[in-house]
Amino acid sequence: MAYVLDHFRYRVESQSLTRRPMRTGPLSGHAFVHELLQGHEARAYENLRMCPPMFLKLRDVLINKGLLKDTTNLTCTEQLAIFLHALGHGLSNRVLSERFHHLGETISRHFNAVLKAVVSLKREYINLLQNDVQVHPHVRHNKIFYPYFKNAVGAIDGTHIPALVRKNKATRYRNRKRWISQNVMAACSFDLQFQYFIVGWEDSMADMKVFRWALESGGFSVPEGKYYLVDSGYANTDKFLAPYRSHRYHLSEFLNRRCNRYNGPNELFNHRYAQLRNVIERAFGVLKMRFKCLKCIPYYPFRTQTKLHLHVAYSITSFVGRKGQTFYLI
C-alpha cells in the first residue's frame, strides 16, 4: 500500500513540474536519414532495406506522381525512411517515435500516407505476362531445363504470414501449427519477379480453393500455350504443371548420396521440376528476410496488415528489380 501511495505522489508531483521535451537525443530523424544516405551504402541498406540510389528513385517516383508531399515537420525523404525502416525491421510506433524524434501521432499519420502511396504503385510494377512471352533465359540457357520446360513461365505457391485478428475470427485464421496467420498465394517468374498475389485469406482455407478463386474471380490468367509450375496440392492441367504423385519430389529427398539414384523417369522429372520450381520458395524466403514485418506479429489492424505486409513488400521488390537493382541481396 505504501508503494502505491508513493507512486501516486510521484505522479502528482511530476505533473505539477514544468513540462520538458521528451525526445532529446543528439541526432534528429532528419539528421539520421541524411547520415544514412550520405554514408556507407551498407548502412543505408541495413536500415532502409534499399541502397541510397534506389531509395532516391522511389522517392522521386512518389513525388512526381503527386503521391507524397513535404510537410512543415517532415520531408518526403524522412517520411519514406520512416516507412521503410518500420517495414524492414517490424518496429512499433513507439520505437519509431524514439528513433526519429517525432510524436506518435505524426509517425502514424505519415506512415499511413506513405502506405497508401506505395500501394498505388502495385498496378504499375506487378502485372501478368502477355501472350507474346518468350522462353525465359533461365530455362533456355540451362540444358537441364531446356527444352523440357521451354513453355514454363513461372511458379505458383502459397505461404503463411503472421496475422492479428479479432478473437471471434481466430479459429478461421489458425493454421496447422496452431498459430494465427493468413494464407497467401503468389506467382513469380524465374528471375524472382512477382507477377500476381492474393492476400487476406483465412489460413484454414485450402490452397486449391484460393487458387480456384484467383482463376474465377481474381483475374489471374496464363498466356496461351504456356504454363506455371505448381506443387502436388494443385490440380494438374494444361496450364498448370504438377509433379508426379507417389514419387520423390522435394529437393531434400535427393541430397542423400545413398538415394541419389532415380527409381525411373518419373523421379528424374520430379527432381528437375523441383529444381526449377524452387524459385518461388527462394522468392518467399528473400522477401521474408528482407522485410521482417512478414515474420513477426503485426501491430496494425488486419486491413492495414494485408496492404502493408504484402502489397507494399511485393510492390517495392518489383520496383527494385525492374529498375535494374539486384533483388537477391538480403
Side-chain angles (χ1 to χ4, degrees), residues 179-199:
W179 48 279
I180 307 299
S181 61
Q182 56 174 304
N183 194 351
V184 177
M185 190 203 82
C188 78
S189 63
F190 297 118
D191 53 3
L192 302 181
Q193 293 298 310
F194 288 101
Q195 302 165 348
Y196 183 85
F197 59 88
I198 299 177
V199 300

Side-chain angles (χ1 to χ4, degrees), residues 248-272 275:
R248 285 188 299 170
Y249 163 66
H250 296 285
L251 289 176
S252 58
E253 297 175 334
F254 296 96
L255 295 180
N256 192 341
R257 293 185 177 181
R258 297 179 181 179
C259 304
N260 58 359
R261 289 190 176 184
Y262 303 112
N263 297 322
N266 291 351
E267 281 197 358
L268 174 60
F269 172 84
N270 279 3
H271 190 197
R272 298 290 183 261
Q275 288 175 313

Side-chain angles (χ1 to χ4, degrees), residues 61-204:
V61 168
L62 295 175
I63 293 176
N64 294 335
K65 292 181 178 293
L67 301 174
L68 276 188
K69 295 181 180 180
D70 291 339
T71 63
T72 305
N73 298 320
L74 278 87
T75 63
C76 293
T77 303
E78 189 175 356
Q79 294 177 40
L80 183 59
I82 292 173
F83 179 78
L84 292 177
H85 193 60
L87 190 67
H89 300 277
L91 302 178
S92 65
N93 195 69
R94 295 192 179 190
V95 175
L96 295 173
S97 298
E98 180 63 28
R99 171 61 275 180
F100 291 93
H101 294 189
H102 292 292
L103 293 175
E105 187 276 334
T106 303
I107 294 289
S108 178
R109 175 159 40 86
H110 290 288
F111 180 91
N112 285 280
V114 179
L115 171 62
K116 182 179 179 181
V118 178
V119 166
S120 64
L121 297 179
K122 67 185 180 68
R123 296 186 180 276
E124 182 175 349
Y125 293 103
I126 303 179
N127 298 304
L128 289 171
L129 296 174
Q130 304 300 321
N131 289 328
D132 57 348
V133 60
Q134 303 297 321
V135 181
H136 197 278
H138 180 68
V139 177
R140 177 179 291 277
H141 301 306
N142 194 323
K143 63 180 181 180
I144 296 179
F145 306 133
Y146 188 84
Y148 316 107
F149 299 100
K150 63 180 181 180
N151 291 327
V153 293
I156 296 175
D157 200 5
T159 188
H160 304 287
I161 304 295
L164 183 66
V165 298
R166 295 180 180 274
K167 187 177 181 179
N168 58 350
K169 297 182 179 179
T171 303
R172 290 186 293 166
Y173 285 88
R174 193 177 302 278
N175 57 30
R176 292 176 296 178
K177 297 182 179 180
R178 311 305 299 168
W179 48 279
I180 307 299
S181 61
Q182 56 174 304
N183 194 351
V184 177
M185 190 203 82
C188 78
S189 63
F190 297 118
D191 53 3
L192 302 181
Q193 293 298 310
F194 288 101
Q195 302 165 348
Y196 183 85
F197 59 88
I198 299 177
V199 300
W201 282 81
E202 299 92 336
D203 217 338
S204 60

Side-chain angles (χ1 to χ4, degrees), residues 212-268:
R212 189 180 297 112
W213 182 90
L215 294 174
E216 297 175 354
S217 306
F220 182 69
S221 61
V222 183
E224 191 67 28
K226 303 295 182 179
Y227 58 82
Y228 279 91
L229 306 180
V230 296
D231 65 12
S232 56
Y234 298 92
N236 190 9
T237 66
D238 57 341
K239 293 187 177 182
F240 304 100
L241 182 64
Y244 286 101
R245 299 177 184 272
S246 302
H247 293 278
R248 285 188 299 170
Y249 163 66
H250 296 285
L251 289 176
S252 58
E253 297 175 334
F254 296 96
L255 295 180
N256 192 341
R257 293 185 177 181
R258 297 179 181 179
C259 304
N260 58 359
R261 289 190 176 184
Y262 303 112
N263 297 322
N266 291 351
E267 281 197 358
L268 174 60

